[in-house]
């Protein structure tokens, strides 16, 4: 019997008491303005500081940039559009049930994207990454602050609608999507060398 390549897996909520291959395929050039820093530029483009530094080996001191300097900004607008559509569909499901919509957290999406890329690169499908450990440990290591968190993962689905429908048709995934505990969401998408898509949703109750 042929096995389906479409799989989903969820993690129930956890209350906390308290780089491999690049995922970027396109880039743009930004001209530094007075008062800029690499961190400000990273926030402006919703990308990690380490990704900007990696894309600009000519910058010897990341703390020292000057007006007029050209900075290469890696971008994945096509991927971000698909991730944003997943979030839009999730918030429709929540709104239809009288739940507050989840705020998009671009830094959490970045973490989720790294998780998806790790699964795609290393050919595994699990909440526990051989690179980053548990999703909760991974979030903490990337500087995400939260009091509760959850994760949904999936692979094989080709569109945002397909993956959200798959999660909504699974009690565990649906529980994460419809949890009243969370207030922020990040979604990360990566594609392996065979064109198979890996999806990660991360949910948090932010401490901000």
């Amino acid at each position: 019997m042929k096995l389906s390549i479409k799989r989903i897996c969820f993690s129930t909520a956890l209350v906390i008491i308290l780089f491999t291959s690049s995922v970027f395929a396109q880039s743009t050039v930004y001209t530094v303005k007075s008062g800029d820093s690499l961190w400000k530029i990273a926030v402006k483009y919703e990308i990690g500081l380490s990704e900007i530094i990696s894309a600009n080996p000519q910058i010897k001191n990341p703390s020292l940039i000057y007006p007029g300097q050209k900075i290469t900004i890696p971008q994945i607008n096509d991927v971000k559009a698909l991730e944003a559509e997943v979030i839009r569909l999730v918030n429709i499901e929540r709104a239809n049930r009288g739940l507050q919509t989840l705020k998009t957290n671009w830094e959490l999406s970045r973490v989720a994207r790294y998780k998806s890329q790790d699964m795609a690169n290393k050919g595994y499908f699990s909440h526990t990454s051989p690179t980053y450990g548990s999703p909760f440990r991974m979030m903490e290591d990337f500087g995400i602050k939260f009091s509760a968190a959850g994760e949904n993962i999936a692979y094989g689905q080709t569109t945002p609608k397909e993956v959200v429908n798959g999660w909504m048709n699974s009690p565990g995934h649906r529980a994460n999507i419809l949890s009243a505990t969370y207030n922020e969401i990040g979604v990360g998408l990566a594609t392996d060398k065979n064109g198979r898509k890996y999806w990660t949703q991360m949910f948090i109750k932010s401490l901000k």
Side-chain angles (χ1 to χ4, degrees):
M1 182 175 64
K2 185 177 180 180
L3 297 178
S4 170
I5 63 170
K6 297 176 182 177
R7 296 189 60 187
I8 54 180
C9 188
F10 76 95
S11 173
T12 56
L14 173 68
V15 177
I16 306 295
I17 305 303
L18 323 153
F19 281 2
T20 55
S21 299
S22 172
V23 299
F24 299 96
Q26 302 173 0
S27 63
T28 190
V29 176
Y30 175 79
T31 302
V32 176
K33 299 178 176 60
S34 179
D36 275 341
S37 67
L38 284 187
W39 171 246
K40 288 181 180 179
I41 296 170
V43 171
K44 174 183 174 66
Y45 285 95
E46 297 188 351
I47 188 174
L49 183 60
S50 62
E51 283 92 310
I52 291 183
I53 293 172
S54 178
N56 293 274
Q58 78 280 8
I59 299 177
K60 304 306 179 184
N61 182 354
S63 299
L64 182 62
I65 58 175
Y66 53 86
Q69 189 173 6
K70 305 295 184 182
I71 306 291
T72 298
I73 311 295
Q75 292 194 64
I76 46 168
N77 292 333
D78 51 345
V79 171
K80 288 183 177 180
L82 294 173
E83 295 167 349
E85 178 63 6
V86 169
I87 294 173
R88 188 185 74 85
L89 293 172
V90 163
N91 278 329
I92 287 174
E93 296 289 352
R94 291 176 64 89
N96 287 343
R97 292 162 177 81
L99 295 165
Q100 75 171 82
T101 57
L102 299 173
K103 178 183 177 182
T104 301
N105 182 324
W106 73 264
E107 293 173 297
L108 190 61
S109 287
R110 176 181 175 238
V111 177
R113 198 176 300 125
Y114 267 89
K115 174 62 177 290
S116 291
Q117 191 66 57
D118 193 52
M119 290 192 292
N121 288 348
K122 297 188 175 180
Y124 72 92
F125 183 68
S126 171
H127 290 295
T128 301
S129 161
T131 306
Y132 304 108
S134 75
F136 315 108
R137 173 65 181 274
M138 185 179 183
M139 292 179 206
E140 291 174 336
D141 286 348
F142 274 84
I144 304 297
K145 306 298 184 182
F146 57 91
S147 60
E151 179 185 79
N152 287 343
I153 57 177
Y155 77 82
Q157 297 81 1
T158 59
T159 67
K161 183 176 181 180
E162 188 178 0
V163 73
V164 171
N165 284 345
W167 279 326
M168 287 300 294
N169 287 325
S170 167
H173 303 90
R174 186 169 62 247
N176 272 344
I177 288 173
L178 300 180
S179 173
T181 299
Y182 307 129
N183 57 14
E184 295 187 5
I185 184 174
V187 173
L189 169 63
T191 304
D192 70 12
K193 61 183 179 181
N194 297 315
R196 183 178 303 167
K197 287 181 167 57
Y198 287 75
W199 307 82
T200 301
Q201 282 182 323
M202 289 182 169
F203 307 88
I204 63 169
K205 181 176 182 180
S206 175
L207 289 179
K208 295 178 182 177

